[in-house]
Amino acid sequence: MTRYILKRILSGIFTIWVTTIAVTLLIHLVPGDPVQIMFAQSQSTTPEQIEQIRSQLGLDRPIYEQYFMYMGRILQGDFGTTIRGNQPVLELLLVRLPNTLALALSALLITMLVGVPIGFFAAYKRGTWLDTSLMTGAIIGISIPSFWLGLMLMYVFSIRLGWLPVSGTDFKNLILPAVTLGLANAAAVSRLTRSSMLDVLSQDYMRTARAKGLAETLVLSRHALRNGLINVVNMLGLQFTYMMGGAIVVENVFAWNGIGRLAIQSIFQRDYPTIQGFILIFATVVVVVSIVLDILYVWIDPRIKYS
Amino acid sequence: MPLLDVKHLQTRFYTGEGVVHAVNDVSFHVNDQETVGIVGESGSGKSMTMLSVMRLIPQPPGKITQGEVMFEGQDLLQLSLPAIRRLRGNRISMIFQDPMTSLNPVLTVEKQLTESIRVHMKLDKVAARDRAIELLEHVGIPAARDRIRNYPHQFSGGMRQRVMIAMGLACDPKLLIADEPTTALDVTIQAQIVELVKRLKEELNMAVIWITHDLSLLASLADRILVMYAGQIVESAPLDQLYANPRHPYTLGLLQSIPRLDEAQKAELKPVDGMPPDLMDYPQGCPFAARCPYVIDRCHTEDPTLEPVSDRPNHAVACWVKPNGAAVLETARAIAH
Ligand SMILES: Nc1ncnc2c1ncn2[C@@H]1O[C@H](COP(=O)(O)OP(=O)(O)OP(=O)(O)O)[C@@H](O)[C@H]1O
Ligand code: SF4
Ligand SMILES: [Mg+2]
């Protein structure tokens, strides 16, 4: 087990390292001169200023040198400053990161609370009208784009009913984006749960449990659910990654002040240092949380824990 | 009065492709403390018969469509679900072929052993645990007090089957149904498990139904043998009688496929050429007719019922011809020498 965790951590570090390379190359992948592009919208910049920025970002040096410079700065916690306003990028991101994490984690919670029971009941009632209608609903759910679902929810609950604010930064404002993101993934999770539960329900140990004379509720809660939940925990890591990705879209729909919204703004402003910082922070969070969830999985599955 | 008396049991599976005739008019009994072996090739309905007795047929698609299963004076098929649950794992236990898949991989042996003890014997956690440790020691698991905390995958195949047997014995059943408990194990372990069940049976005064592919395995174990074919019992006889003078062509074929009965050789049951009938398209007449060397015209039109052989009240055969098995085996042995 320790070996597995160690391997997992090393591969995580590798992923982040690859990301740093990608981030350095990013500027050069966009056609045209990066500094020109960055300042294309502001007329007031003089050629001297542009040259100054260029050397400040190290863009006048060879790429490998740029990489080492960038890495050196990052390792000291210096992610650079924004192009306009000269704010430290890291601070800007870290201030908003909790908002994004709050959104992704509460959406994950909603996904699980909605998706897992639906999948469980569909599997238990397989082949009945209940199964068919739940799974048809799930297919429709999967095909609805989250920005559209977000706009609909906003229309109904904020504009028509006036129950929830359209946008803002307190806890109440988290509800709509979290529900949007959560529901968008609940459909997929319900299908995954269903197929995993179908597998569990057809296992020999279910028959053994019944042969012992246990009541059906006990057979389901102790023998089926326990095994089914292990599979559910197994998909938490992947689901969290989806939530983080989805958060970028949903944050913009609801003007939720997370790093996803900042990222889109930076892209519009061609603010390369912020975009780079965003990608690195995003990748790190995804990798770290996935590792934690994977370790959780290893820890709750005795087959892996004691092998 | 026999302990278990099954009459005209019939189980069907209603699938998309058609109706599977899995158990067809099966009648048999098991006496108190008797060991009855059930043999037959794969798909002959051995498991489905016993699962029907336990009311464990997956439903849907399965359904018990007919019959009576008398156990200790009540018809199990008429019992309510809570009532049948009170018997399962308590008065009647069943253990299964593959102890790896039949045990829950994410629960400790303790949890899986004590749950039926707690439900049926109404013991508290500590008492149930003590009983579970005692059971594990009884089935020959060393260091039971420590091992009880382990998960199934931490045991070897043979030890896992011992755990399974301990689970079956948890509440002192009157009847233990063992569905091919040794098929997944290698030969030496197999023999150990057979010895274990024999010993436990004597100690606990229970009856045993032992399902197997392997007729030779029953030689040291069974009092009586039932031979199943295509969801029917085609022959039923005391062990010696069945080995010495089988009267059904299928049984005869099974016995001829075993090289030496005294050696516990594992014989694959492919005694006669050909395949068993399609249970979704059940044939008219005797189900064995297509493979039978003794077939006569009548076999194709009329299905023989299980009837006592005239001079042997405990020996019943479902065959119009009832060939003299003793003579056939004699001749075969003479040729072999
Ligand atoms: N869920 C099911 N749906 C349809 N048919 C089934 C189902 N379960 C069992 N059957 C059929 O019932 C018949 C009897 O099966 P059973 O498991 O009792 O055979 P068996 O004698 O125990 O064989 P084996 O030695 O392989 O265990 C088989 O032909 C099988 O195809
Ligand atoms: S009834 Fe006929 S076909 Fe069937 S076993 Fe007897 S001889 Fe063979
Ligand atoms: Mg079977």
Side-chain angles (χ1 to χ4, degrees):
Chain A
M1 179 169 117
T2 346
R3 264 189 66 189
Y4 171 80
I5 294 175
L6 222 63
K7 234 172 95 181
R8 207 54 200 75
I9 291 175
L10 284 178
S11 89
I13 291 174
F14 180 75
T15 309
I16 296 174
W17 176 65
V18 170
T19 313
T20 60
I21 296 178
V23 151
T24 316
L25 294 176
L26 174 81
I27 295 187
H28 301 279
L29 289 176
V30 182
D33 176 61
V35 183
Q36 295 281 2
I37 293 170
M38 277 188 249
F39 291 96
Q41 281 143 340
S42 51
Q43 267 86 41
S44 60
T45 1
T46 63
E48 291 77 43
Q49 274 174 314
I50 286 189
E51 277 320 302
Q52 193 199 336
I53 299 273
R54 194 185 301 283
S55 68
Q56 194 184 325
L57 293 176
L59 292 174
D60 47 359
R61 317 242 186 116
I63 287 193
Y64 70 89
E65 251 182 66
Q66 287 178 31
Y67 177 70
F68 287 121
M69 267 177 63
Y70 187 62
M71 277 302 277
R73 287 197 288 117
I74 280 177
L75 289 176
Q76 294 165 31
D78 176 11
F79 280 56
T81 54
T82 56
I83 296 296
R84 262 164 292 274
N86 270 336
Q87 282 175 280
V89 167
L90 185 62
E91 199 187 303
L92 211 58
L93 284 165
L94 289 185
V95 165
R96 287 153 202 244
L97 184 61
N99 288 343
T100 300
L101 284 178
L103 172 59
L105 290 175
S106 37
L108 187 61
L109 192 70
I110 291 171
T111 297
M112 292 298 153
L113 287 180
V114 175
V116 171
I118 287 181
F120 184 86
F121 281 111
Y124 189 58
K125 295 281 174 194
R126 72 183 168 287
T128 64
W129 64 267
L130 183 70
D131 179 22
T132 316
S133 36
L134 286 175
M135 285 306 108
T136 313
I139 289 184
I140 296 171
I142 287 173
S143 30
I144 294 177
S146 59
F147 72 86
W148 186 81
L149 179 64
L151 291 175
M152 283 297 124
L153 289 175
M154 199 193 282
Y155 176 72
V156 174
F157 290 100
S158 305
I159 298 171
R160 293 308 295 259
L161 298 172
W163 289 354
L164 293 166
V166 175
S167 64
T169 49
D170 70 11
F171 172 72
K172 249 183 168 176
N173 302 109
L174 182 59
I175 297 175
L176 275 186
V179 167
T180 302
L181 192 51
L183 286 186
N185 283 272
V189 166
S190 74
R191 293 186 65 82
L192 284 170
T193 307
R194 179 179 179 271
S195 64
S196 128
M197 282 311 302
L198 277 185
D199 180 52
V200 169
L201 290 174
S202 70
Q203 293 293 321
D204 289 349
Y205 54 74
M206 294 298 293
R207 188 182 55 195
T208 308
R210 293 197 173 97
K212 284 185 207 171
L214 304 182
E216 194 64 10
T217 44
L218 202 57
V219 172
L220 288 180
S221 62
R222 189 178 290 161
H223 289 267
L225 207 54
R226 196 66 81 92
N227 281 281
L229 284 183
I230 283 183
N231 295 336
V232 169
V233 172
N234 192 18
M235 61 196 186
L236 276 180
L238 190 63
Q239 286 303 321
F240 177 77
T241 311
Y242 290 156
M243 296 297 158
M244 287 294 287
I248 299 176
V249 176
V250 172
E251 280 178 7
N252 281 284
V253 173
F254 289 96
W256 179 251
N257 205 14
I259 59 172
R261 183 144 177 264
L262 179 68
I264 300 289
Q265 286 165 355
S266 316
I267 289 170
F268 281 129
Q269 295 173 359
R270 310 285 188 271
D271 188 341
Y272 281 103
T274 313
I275 299 172
Q276 287 176 314
F278 164 76
I279 295 174
L280 271 183
I281 294 290
F282 188 87
T284 309
V285 167
V286 166
V287 165
V288 169
V289 175
S290 302
I291 290 175
V292 170
L293 291 174
D294 276 3
I295 291 173
L296 181 70
Y297 172 67
V298 168
W299 183 69
I300 68 165
D301 189 340
R303 278 164 298 190
I304 311 179
K305 191 178 176 191
Y306 298 104
S307 64
Chain B
M1 192 177 69
L3 177 68
L4 176 75
D5 200 359
V6 176
K7 291 199 180 99
H8 307 294
L9 184 67
Q10 194 178 67
T11 301
R12 303 263 183 272
F13 285 91
Y14 297 89
T15 68
E17 294 98 84
V19 182
V20 180
H21 295 234
V23 179
N24 300 302
D25 196 29
V26 163
S27 302
F28 67 95
H29 69 274
V30 177
N31 292 320
D32 230 352
Q33 300 179 37
E34 192 182 22
T35 301
V36 172
I38 304 186
V39 282
E41 62 198 337
S42 195
S44 56
K46 306 181 295 293
S47 299
M48 290 309 141
T49 301
M50 294 327 299
L51 288 172
S52 301
V53 166
M54 295 281 284
R55 298 254 306 265
L56 285 172
I57 293 286
Q59 193 173 353
K63 192 171 180 349
I64 300 169
T65 45
Q66 226 187 71
E68 197 182 280
V69 176
M70 298 303 292
F71 178 79
E72 295 188 321
Q74 45 187 350
D75 184 356
L76 301 187
L77 301 187
Q78 303 302 327
L79 289 184
S80 68
L81 279 174
I84 188 85
R85 280 189 199 119
R86 276 196 291 276
L87 293 179
R88 281 183 199 152
N90 187 16
R91 306 295 292 165
I92 313 179
S93 296
M94 188 156 177
I95 59 175
F96 301 96
Q97 174 171 344
D98 190 342
M100 182 74 226
T101 60
S102 296
L103 292 171
N104 193 325
V106 303
L107 298 178
T108 59
V109 163
E110 174 175 357
K111 189 93 205 164
Q112 299 188 61
L113 251 173
T114 53
E115 58 184 355
S116 57
I117 299 175
R118 296 194 65 179
V119 166
H120 296 303
M121 298 179 123
K122 310 265 184 280
L123 294 181
D124 66 18
K125 205 174 163 174
V126 178
R129 187 183 145 85
D130 287 343
R131 165 135 188 99
I133 292 170
E134 199 181 295
L135 282 162
L136 289 177
E137 281 166 353
H138 212 86
V139 297
I141 291 187
R145 194 163 284 279
D146 298 324
R147 297 294 302 227
I148 194 167
R149 282 195 295 264
N150 289 8
Y151 290 88
H153 74 270
Q154 293 170 288
F155 290 84
S156 69
M159 285 296 153
R160 241 177 256 143
Q161 193 54 280
R162 284 171 195 262
V163 169
M164 194 74 200
I165 291 170
M167 273 168 51
L169 302 180
C171 304
D172 284 331
K174 287 298 285 178
L175 173 63
L176 176 74
I177 302 171
D179 189 351
E180 308 196 37
T182 61
T183 307
L185 307 174
D186 69 46
V187 183
T188 36
I189 311 284
Q190 208 170 49
Q192 289 170 11
I193 297 288
V194 170
E195 283 312 308
L196 173 69
V197 171
K198 266 165 70 177
R199 193 193 89 209
L200 293 167
K201 179 195 131 58
E202 293 308 320
E203 287 172 11
L204 302 172
N205 296 323
M206 58 182 179
V208 174
I209 296 178
W210 187 291
I211 299 177
T212 178
H213 277 158
D214 187 354
L215 195 46
S216 58
L217 193 113
L218 293 175
S220 69
L221 192 69
D223 300 315
R224 211 148 44 83
I225 292 181
L226 309 175
V227 181
M228 284 199 76
Y229 184 80
Q232 297 190 9
I233 293 178
V234 293
E235 184 157 15
S236 149
L239 178 84
D240 310 342
Q241 180 71 20
L242 191 98
Y243 281 154
N245 189 14
R247 300 300 299 275
H248 194 282
Y250 178 64
T251 317
L252 196 51
L254 291 184
L255 284 168
Q256 282 173 309
S257 75
I258 301 175
R260 295 256 309 276
L261 267 183
D262 45 342
E263 265 175 43
Q265 283 237 26
K266 209 179 155 150
E268 261 306 302
L269 292 194
K270 269 277 171 208
V272 194
D273 290 337
M275 297 282 289
D278 182 0
L279 295 182
M280 252 186 252
D281 184 20
Y282 208 81
Q284 206 198 352
C286 173
F288 192 56
R291 299 162 80 181
C292 182
Y294 299 90
V295 64
I296 55 174
D297 283 348
R298 191 182 183 186
C299 307
H300 292 294
T301 49
E302 285 175 75
D303 190 3
T305 48
L306 195 64
E307 279 170 358
V309 179
S310 51
D311 52 336
R312 303 273 177 176
N314 287 331
H315 191 168
V317 181
C319 175
W320 298 126
V321 176
K322 300 185 187 65
N324 184 337
V328 176
L329 289 175
E330 191 66 34
T331 320
R333 265 178 222 124
I335 293 169
H337 273 286

